[in-house]
Amino acid sequence: MDMPVFAAVMTGPGAGAIATIQLCGDSAQTILREIFRRKGDRPCAGAQGEILLGDIVDNGLAIDEVTVGCESADTFAIHCHGNPILVAAIMELLQRHGAQSVLSEQLLARVFARQEPHDAIACEAKLALATVKTIEGAALINHQVNAGLSARVRYWRDHLDSLPLEEIAAEAGDILRHSEPARLILSGGTIALVGPPNTGKSTLLNTLAGREKAIVSDVRGTTRDWVSAEILLPPLAATIIDTAGLDPALASADIDQAAQQRSLEIVARADLILLVLDLSQPADQIATDLTESLAHKRTIIVLNKADLPPQFDPGNLPPPPRETVRISAQQGHGIGDLIGTIHRVCHVADFDPRTPVAFTDRQMHLLELLQQSESQTRARSILSELLESPVAVEK
Ligand SMILES: Nc1nc2c(ncn2[C@@H]2O[C@H](COP(=O)(O)OP(=O)(O)OP(=O)(O)O)[C@@H](O)[C@H]2O)c(=O)[nH]1
Ligand SMILES: [Mg+2]
């Protein structure tokens, strides 16, 4: 099938020394010859592996000196100067000559999709590599390209006649189970700091973020609008959100009520809750609203201010039993223990990067269908879809 010519800016936005524009498609070479004049008036052969130096020319005027990497007969990388005005001018020129402007990930999806043999999971893995949040995530996703999920699905397809469907369903269930911690390693999770006022939530955010992001004071109700920070707790990447302290006594004013409502909404969306309590205060600090909203959430109880004489009896904590860590956010004590507990509770400690995992909604949905499939014919069609369907770029 003919592929129209696509052009995409492959480098990030903003000024830089160099920017790269990728041009690919059946008549990419024709367009290149129209807009590129090689130094020394030499012909622009564009054979695979060549690197050409020359000018991008618009109406006889050179607008930038560039190098062109000829990656294949129909794929070229134009390395121009990184001034956004030049990049925009070259993109506009390419469009005038018939190229279609697309986003970098859309262009990559098209390039990967044409590689033989086509493997949709491998394409999705290569695309995901551009957005993984941790080095461990990069190792995990790299493994899915030729091994991992891709290899497992091919194995099921090739041995479908001799494999019991229950065995495939059980293995698909394992993969889906591992995909949840994998998601936290690949894309990062959300950790919410919640609890009564003045327990040290903002202090803990600052300690974990390594900088003074949130305002700390001994006034109850200091934090109203939530504050967030991106942190790396390898192999985990997380957005940590500091919320307004939850206290019915504070919620009488409209503004505090709105702040507390927002805290509960953040709790509902978070992957992990750190319930921060003050070890130096009696145990009647936790609002009923909060206990109810935490009932089904993955939660760690953080007993802060362990540097002060304790007044709190952890035996009085509401059920269910949870992992509990004692820290002093102010002094930085117990933070290593807290991070270890976060890893354990999120099942990312010692996560083997060779584990097959699903890492797109499409893969998860198809694995769920595979688990339920009751005939070989149905299983075969799901497996082909997993490997062969065109790759959509999620935006
Ligand atoms: N001794 C001691 N004091 C702490 C510790 N952590 C926080 N504090 C103090 O406790 C007070 C409240 O801290 P914040 O971090 O503002 O508490 P918060 O939970 O964010 O409070 P709100 O935003 O009002 O809900 C401040 O005076 C902090 O310096 C700790 O580990 N030990
Ligand atoms: Mg605060």
Side-chain angles (χ1 to χ4, degrees):
M1 195 175 44
D2 283 358
M3 178 160 118
V5 180
F6 296 107
V9 182
M10 307 307 283
T11 35
I18 288 174
T20 298
I21 293 171
Q22 193 92 5
L23 185 67
C24 86
D26 290 336
S27 46
Q29 197 175 61
T30 311
I31 294 182
L32 185 72
R33 285 183 176 157
E34 289 166 3
I35 66 154
F36 176 72
R37 190 172 58 206
R38 201 173 165 196
K39 292 279 179 205
D41 282 332
R42 285 189 289 163
C44 167
Q48 185 173 23
E50 266 188 324
I51 296 176
L52 312 173
L53 175 67
D55 292 316
I56 297 291
V57 180
D58 185 9
N59 274 330
L61 277 181
I63 54 173
D64 193 20
E65 184 179 69
V66 303
T67 58
V68 176
C70 308
E71 298 183 357
S72 69
D74 60 8
T75 305
F76 303 92
I78 302 172
H79 304 290
C80 58
H81 288 95
N83 181 336
I85 292 175
L86 292 173
V87 176
I90 298 171
M91 283 299 285
E92 193 271 325
L93 181 62
L94 287 168
Q95 282 171 267
R96 251 190 285 138
H97 284 260
Q100 196 177 316
S101 164
V102 291
L103 297 172
S104 56
E105 53 271 43
Q106 291 170 325
L107 185 132
L108 287 176
R110 289 178 167 105
V111 171
F112 296 151
R114 289 195 318 157
Q115 289 170 350
E116 293 294 338
H118 176 62
D119 177 338
I121 297 170
C123 290
E124 286 166 325
K126 289 179 192 168
L127 283 174
L129 207 47
T131 52
V132 285
K133 295 276 176 64
T134 59
I135 286 294
E136 292 79 3
L140 177 61
I141 209 75
N142 257 324
H143 190 74
Q144 310 304 315
V145 176
N146 293 315
L149 181 65
S150 165
R152 185 65 60 95
V153 173
R154 277 182 273 128
Y155 177 83
W156 287 334
R157 181 197 59 190
D158 297 344
H159 297 83
L160 194 55
D161 293 335
S162 55
L163 278 174
L165 283 181
E166 307 78 66
E167 195 175 310
I168 296 179
E171 284 182 16
D174 285 345
I175 293 175
L176 284 168
R177 230 181 348 276
H178 293 138
S179 301
E180 166 59 11
R183 176 178 69 80
L184 301 177
I185 296 172
L186 295 170
S187 323
T190 308
I191 301 178
L193 299 174
V194 296
N198 230 23
T199 55
K201 300 177 292 301
S202 300
T203 308
L204 180 55
L205 175 99
N206 291 344
T207 302
L208 288 172
R211 59 191 195 280
E212 300 298 307
K213 261 240 114 165
I215 297 172
V216 168
S217 91
D218 57 5
V219 176
R220 294 165 63 81
T222 298
T223 304
R224 279 178 166 165
D225 225 349
W226 53 272
V227 179
S228 72
E230 302 293 324
I231 56 166
L232 269 182
L233 306 172
L236 195 71
T239 304
I240 184 152
I241 307 182
D242 175 27
T243 63
L246 289 160
D247 181 358
L250 270 182
S252 48
D254 282 355
I255 188 163
D256 289 308
Q257 205 171 11
Q260 298 203 10
Q261 183 54 37
R262 194 161 293 180
S263 296
L264 292 174
E265 286 162 16
I266 289 168
V267 165
R269 286 201 308 271
D271 294 298
L272 171 68
I273 310 293
L274 301 187
L275 173 57
V276 184
L277 301 174
D278 185 341
L279 198 55
S280 71
Q281 297 295 319
D284 55 357
Q285 315 166 26
I286 315 165
T288 334
D289 271 12
L290 181 58
T291 319
E292 283 166 12
S293 59
L294 293 187
H296 302 292
K297 295 297 293 191
R298 187 190 281 158
T299 303
I300 297 172
I301 295 181
V302 180
L303 299 173
N304 188 32
K305 308 197 189 181
D307 53 299
L308 297 177
Q311 294 241 21
F312 183 94
D313 177 3
N316 289 339
L317 283 167
R322 318 241 193 208
E323 293 252 19
T324 302
V325 190
R326 282 169 195 250
I327 66 160
S328 167
Q330 196 183 57
Q331 313 283 324
H333 299 157
I335 300 299
D337 269 1
L338 174 60
I339 294 172
T341 310
I342 293 173
H343 287 164
R344 213 170 40 250
V345 167
C346 293
H347 304 290
V348 300
D350 305 321
F351 193 91
D352 185 346
R354 285 160 300 198
T355 312
V357 295
F359 50 91
T360 66
D361 292 347
R362 182 191 81 90
Q363 295 165 4
M364 300 221 198
H365 173 64
L366 288 169
L367 285 179
E368 278 160 15
L369 293 180
L370 186 64
Q371 268 188 306
Q372 298 152 16
S373 95
E374 285 171 355
S375 72
Q376 267 195 1
T377 317
R378 176 81 181 120
R380 193 175 299 284
S381 105
I382 295 168
L383 292 172
S384 334
E385 203 176 333
L386 262 166
L387 287 170
E388 288 157 26
S389 60
V391 175
V393 176
E394 288 166 15
K395 267 276 103 198

